[in-house]
Amino acid sequence: MNNQYKKEYLDYLHYQKNYSDLTIKEYERDIDSFLNYLKQEAIDDCLSVTYQDIRGYLAMLHLDELASKTINRKISSLRGFYKFMQNEEYINDNPFLEVDLLKVGQRNPDVLYIDEMMDLLDSIDTSTPLGRRNQAMLELMYASGLRCSEVVNLTLSQINFSRQVLLIHGKGKKDRYVPFHDFAAECLKNYIQEDRQEIMNKYHEDHDYVFINKFGKKLTNRGVENIVDRVCANYDPTKKIHPHTFRHSFATHLLEEGIDIRLLQELLGHASLSTTQIYTHVSIQHLKEVYDHSHPRNNTKKD
């Protein structure tokens, strides 16, 4: 019956909560991890789980040296699973409510300063069709704060060049409109009309995805990561830059220029304002660095 309970819960996440396929897969992996542990411990029925059983499972996770953030995600996934079974009256109480999440230190997102971002984007080699694709893609990621998954799934019909906005299908199947500026629009239009069309024709491809690989097929998340790695290796191989750095930098730079945090929340597609507020910590840190460098009475000021 354990697999039947799991299936019912995953169907609930899909059809009633409208969670993305990727998110549902993460829940499934976390639940399977726990069910496999129960099987090893000869606990056949997940409905009979006790607090002591959960303690044993958490001890195993610690022995596997999993990060606190990963363990917390598993706890949250299983807490939701057992809440569902409680609501369905399969069980009376949710045993995972007795488990506290582990303390995780606040980690600020990786961002580039504005001049670093400008230098990075200007360093892209645009002498080839794929180079101009890279420019269009990275300019758009920084212009609109897109997630990697939103970039690879972007289609031609989602772009409105006359209004310079994108219709983005974000997490949890939530749509939002985000603008893009003139320079990104020019790069994107040139790439779509010339370079993309040339590659698509060469390999006889016919689809609406905007960003494609060298064979004209839809670009993947891994493909975006590889492009970022190559571009950044050419710019500065000592810097740690990944696709989300463009989104983090977009958010931080807008805050530094005075954008209202609730408007930023809307642009990023965050369900909770608390998720957006992590960028205020980055902006304050940047403000302090500028202050330390600029104030004439600061002893640590560098000439």
Side-chain angles (χ1 to χ4, degrees), residues 77-219:
S77 297
L78 292 165
R79 187 178 288 170
F81 177 46
Y82 276 85
K83 179 182 178 182
F84 168 79
M85 292 199 289
Q86 185 180 17
N87 291 339
E88 294 296 310
E89 298 184 350
Y90 293 137
I91 55 176
N92 294 323
D93 300 301
N94 183 348
F96 274 88
L97 291 179
E98 300 180 52
V99 181
D100 294 325
L101 296 177
L102 304 178
K103 290 184 178 181
V104 180
Q106 182 87 3
R107 182 179 181 272
N108 287 331
D110 299 321
V111 299
L112 297 177
Y113 288 114
I114 293 176
D115 59 339
E116 291 178 323
M117 179 59 75
M118 297 303 104
D119 288 344
L120 168 61
L121 293 172
D122 290 342
S123 75
I124 299 173
D125 179 6
T126 57
S127 62
T128 65
L130 291 179
R132 291 187 287 274
R133 174 209 61 189
N134 298 346
Q135 180 190 43
M137 184 181 74
L138 297 182
E139 285 284 357
L140 192 65
M141 289 167 66
Y142 176 56
S144 303
L146 303 182
R147 301 179 176 96
C148 191
S149 60
E150 294 167 350
V151 173
V152 299
N153 289 309
L154 186 70
T155 61
L156 297 173
S157 62
Q158 292 173 246
I159 306 174
N160 186 325
F161 278 107
S162 62
R163 297 179 60 192
Q164 286 188 197
V165 294
L166 307 173
L167 171 59
I168 298 299
H169 306 308
K171 280 187 174 181
K173 299 184 180 178
K174 294 179 181 178
D175 291 349
R176 72 185 190 278
Y177 286 98
V178 292
F180 54 97
H181 51 65
D182 292 345
F183 188 74
E186 182 182 356
C187 294
L188 189 60
K189 188 175 292 186
N190 290 339
Y191 157 69
I192 290 173
Q193 293 177 350
E194 299 176 15
D195 304 298
R196 178 184 179 277
Q197 196 60 48
E198 177 185 328
I199 298 170
M200 295 281 285
N201 290 342
K202 181 178 180 180
Y203 291 97
H204 309 291
E205 290 289 338
D206 182 23
H207 59 75
D208 290 333
Y209 291 108
V210 174
F211 294 109
I212 58 176
N213 63 22
K214 62 182 180 181
F215 300 113
K217 298 187 182 299
K218 174 189 174 185
L219 203 60

Side-chain angles (χ1 to χ4, degrees), residues 19-51:
Y19 282 9
S20 69
D21 292 340
L22 183 61
T23 300
I24 292 172
K25 281 289 184 186
E26 290 177 352
Y27 274 90
E28 184 174 16
R29 281 195 294 269
D30 291 339
I31 294 170
D32 283 342
S33 169
F34 184 61
L35 294 181
N36 288 335
Y37 169 78
L38 295 182
K39 187 175 181 180
Q40 293 171 11
E41 297 297 311
I43 302 171
D44 297 326
D45 186 1
C46 67
L47 302 184
S48 63
V49 165
T50 65
Y51 175 67

